[in-house]
Amino acid sequence: MKYYSYFPGCSAEAAASPLGLSVLPVAKELDMDLAELEDWNCCGSTPFGSVDKLAAACMAARNLALAEKRGFDLVTPCSNCFVVLHSANTQLKELPRLREQVDKALAVAKLKYSGGVRVRHLAEVLYTDITPEVIGAKVTKPLKGLKVAPYYGCQLVRPNGFDDPEFPHSLDELVASLGADAVSWELKARCCGSSLVMSEPDVALELINKLLRNAQENGAQCLVTPCPLCHINLDVYQSQVNSKFKTKYNLPVLFLTQLIGVALGIPADALALSRNVVSPMRVLAPYL
Amino acid sequence: MAETMVKSPAIEVSFIDEVCSIPGGEAIRSCIQCGMCTGSCPTASRWDYPPRKAIAMVRAGLRKELLSSNSMWFCASCYTCTVRCPRDIKPADIMHALEVLAIRDGLSTKRSRTPVMYKCFVDSAKGNGRVYELGMMLKFFLRTNPFAALKMAPVGLGLFLHKRLPLKPNRIKGVGELKAILNEAKALGGAK
């Protein structure tokens, strides 16, 4: 058993609930003890860091302080939480004045952070600690013949990534370990527009269209991503892309943990497959 | 050096010093204007002043022009510029520093809805300790363009029908504690 502190992030409880729900049975199957950080708060996300840097650092630091009490690596399945918590962790080490101010603010709540937490992304933990080999050995329903486009998005691999920031390969290996064919496609680590989909939908829908087109042209039957924001854009907004660009995409987008779960023989219900807006049941039927 | 700088009304702080003093903005002086950031940016065509130019404007002291533009608000934080920059100046972080300054001075542009979205997000996360997506979305559309909400209604419905749009906020137990931390941060005057 490997032990971690677990930071789901706000979206895993809401708009990306299939992520939050599918992480736990998969972790159990892979002998990972993911203990949810008690009473964690929003990481601060990009908006805090764009409005007030000290408030942003404090949002992250409260979580880091809570995690430090427990003493294990802090693992999040959300690429944005990962970047934000990881960057705050680094800044608190490198910027003594910021650190001093954050210390004062945390002291009001009798909290203290000494810099002892390692922030990690769940996909990196699956790749590095659990390894594709071990996951592959536990596969009971090999996804033979399924063409999956691994979509890394941005913040899993940039700027604090464990993989190549331009041409990453870790998800390809994880997908292959499940018996599926990892589709090779050029845009696998390009931007989906993230939250601009809400404030500037024209910009984001154009980026999403490019991604879906590129994945489809390379023969993908579905995409897989670890990131909740990417998932919302590619899955939930796929119908908006179709109406804006007169396209007919019907490309299911799975969370990494959902795809792994299917191959490990975890039932569809436990993986919240029915919560994906573009239904993955058609392509997954042979394996369920 | 930049970190210990004290802002005093008697001494005029240059725009570039100001950017340098914000966490993430420190390395801007190393820019060689190669344009790798603009060439790598997936949204550059929408920026009033694309990344390379925006950085040049900081160095030229064109504070008001830049901070009241839509430029940095189109940064999607993809960090492609950051990993490609040959001088390691972290352009995405610089854009976030510019956003902080624009908000601080109330200079945010009307030509991007992102500042309003970010403020709605921050209010939501402060109020509950976690983001309440439905509340944030409604507030954002009411403040910007309620008609745009109609266009997005199918998205909201899709989320709701797939049990991905909780109707109630999820409030943490330590919400009071979090507010006290943030109030103390405010009293300290923000990261400078």
Side-chain angles (χ1 to χ4, degrees):
Chain A
M1 187 70 89
K2 291 190 163 72
Y3 294 87
Y4 306 92
S5 289
Y6 177 57
F7 186 90
C10 302
S11 61
E13 294 186 328
S17 64
L19 170 64
L21 292 167
S22 60
V23 163
L24 300 174
V26 168
K28 197 175 163 209
E29 205 65 35
L30 296 175
D31 296 326
M32 302 166 74
D33 183 79
L34 290 182
E36 185 167 332
L37 190 65
E38 205 188 325
D39 209 41
W40 55 272
N41 58 268
C42 164
C43 68
S45 186
T46 309
F48 262 88
S50 299
V51 171
D52 180 339
K53 288 288 177 196
L54 181 55
C58 289
M59 291 292 282
R62 179 176 176 271
N63 293 312
L64 294 169
L66 294 175
E68 195 170 43
K69 278 189 194 170
R70 208 169 166 263
F72 296 107
D73 287 353
L74 184 61
V75 174
T76 177
C78 171
S79 303
N80 190 233
C81 296
F82 168 65
V83 162
V84 166
L85 293 171
H86 190 287
S87 301
N89 205 20
T90 309
Q91 285 190 335
L92 288 171
K93 287 189 187 106
E94 290 176 355
L95 306 175
R97 186 166 151 76
L98 180 71
R99 170 74 175 272
E100 196 186 307
Q101 288 179 314
V102 168
D103 281 349
K104 280 186 193 160
L106 286 184
V108 174
K110 298 191 176 59
L111 285 171
K112 185 168 170 45
Y113 180 55
S114 315
V117 173
R118 188 153 71 127
V119 178
R120 303 177 68 190
H121 194 294
L122 178 67
E124 184 263 317
V125 171
L126 289 171
Y127 182 75
T128 317
D129 293 11
I130 311 300
T131 74
E133 293 73 29
V134 170
I135 295 173
K138 295 197 176 202
V139 166
T140 57
K141 300 262 176 70
L143 307 177
K144 229 174 154 47
L146 185 64
K147 294 185 172 56
V148 182
Y151 179 52
Y152 297 76
C154 300
Q155 299 182 340
L156 170 67
V157 292
R158 292 185 299 270
N160 311 312
F162 64 105
D163 201 340
D164 188 288
E166 303 272 356
F167 301 105
H169 53 84
S170 51
L171 295 185
D172 291 64
E173 288 178 49
L174 286 166
V175 165
S177 76
L178 308 175
D181 295 333
V183 170
S184 167
W185 59 306
E186 297 82 356
L187 303 185
K188 64 181 180 181
R190 299 273 79 92
C191 182
C192 72
S194 72
S195 64
L196 292 184
V197 80
M198 212 170 128
S199 56
E200 304 295 343
D202 288 349
V203 177
L205 292 176
E206 199 178 307
L207 296 174
I208 300 167
N209 182 32
K210 280 185 194 168
L211 294 172
L212 292 171
R213 187 173 58 213
N214 188 235
Q216 186 156 285
E217 281 173 357
N218 283 285
Q221 292 172 280
C222 62
L223 292 101
V224 68
T225 184
C227 174
L229 266 172
C230 296
H231 191 270
I232 292 163
N233 283 10
L234 293 169
D235 177 47
V236 184
Y237 282 86
Q238 199 171 119
S239 60
Q240 295 274 308
V241 170
N242 280 337
S243 49
K244 186 174 164 75
F245 297 98
K246 310 277 176 274
T247 46
K248 287 181 182 153
Y249 299 116
N250 183 20
L251 272 176
V253 186
L254 292 149
F255 279 109
L256 178 62
T257 39
Q258 288 183 308
L259 191 75
I260 294 175
V262 171
L264 295 181
I266 297 169
D269 286 355
L271 299 170
L273 292 176
S274 62
R275 293 191 181 205
N276 293 38
V277 173
V278 179
S279 173
M281 300 317 269
R282 182 178 45 89
V283 299
L284 292 180
Y287 314 101
L288 289 169
Chain B
M1 181 66 187
E3 250 210 288
T4 52
M5 197 179 63
V6 179
K7 198 176 171 183
S8 144
I11 309 160
E12 192 155 331
V13 179
S14 69
F15 190 17
I16 194 162
D17 283 337
E18 221 180 347
V19 173
C20 267
S21 73
I22 294 176
E26 303 88 354
I28 190 169
R29 280 198 170 80
S30 307
C31 173
I32 52 167
Q33 289 286 297
C34 69
M36 178 59 94
C37 47
T38 297
S40 305
C41 178
T43 66
S45 63
R46 312 283 182 135
W47 298 34
D48 288 340
Y49 312 109
R52 182 202 58 79
K53 200 167 189 176
I55 292 165
M57 288 171 77
V58 173
R59 306 207 304 186
L62 298 170
R63 191 177 190 283
K64 199 174 171 202
E65 289 88 333
L66 181 57
L67 293 186
S68 50
S69 77
N70 72 8
S71 288
M72 53 281 178
W73 299 108
F74 275 85
C75 171
S77 305
C78 76
Y79 295 98
T80 311
C81 55
T82 301
V83 297
R84 289 184 183 172
C85 174
R87 301 290 291 163
D88 225 3
I89 71 161
K90 303 188 174 133
D93 288 353
I94 289 172
M95 297 311 144
H96 298 155
L98 292 172
E99 289 166 343
V100 168
L101 287 175
I103 294 249
R104 203 185 277 173
D105 287 15
L107 281 174
S108 35
T109 176
K110 292 250 181 311
R111 299 202 306 104
S112 164
R113 290 171 287 264
T114 308
V116 178
M117 178 177 70
Y118 281 2
K119 282 185 205 162
C120 293
F121 183 102
V122 165
D123 290 348
S124 176
K126 273 185 185 167
N128 299 303
R130 290 184 194 164
V131 177
Y132 170 43
E133 288 166 348
L134 178 62
M136 180 198 76
M137 279 156 63
L138 291 174
K139 199 166 163 187
F140 167 73
F141 283 118
L142 283 174
R143 281 205 201 163
T144 51
N145 178 6
F147 295 105
L150 290 176
K151 219 173 155 185
M152 284 299 145
V155 171
L157 190 66
L159 282 171
F160 178 73
L161 292 175
H162 291 83
K163 300 183 185 165
R164 292 167 68 165
L165 195 65
L167 300 179
K168 279 194 217 150
N170 191 354
R171 188 162 292 169
I172 66 168
K173 280 185 278 172
V175 71
E177 171 188 305
L178 183 66
K179 276 182 190 161
I181 293 172
L182 295 173
N183 284 339
E184 179 66 14
K186 201 172 179 185
L188 290 166
K192 288 197 187 98

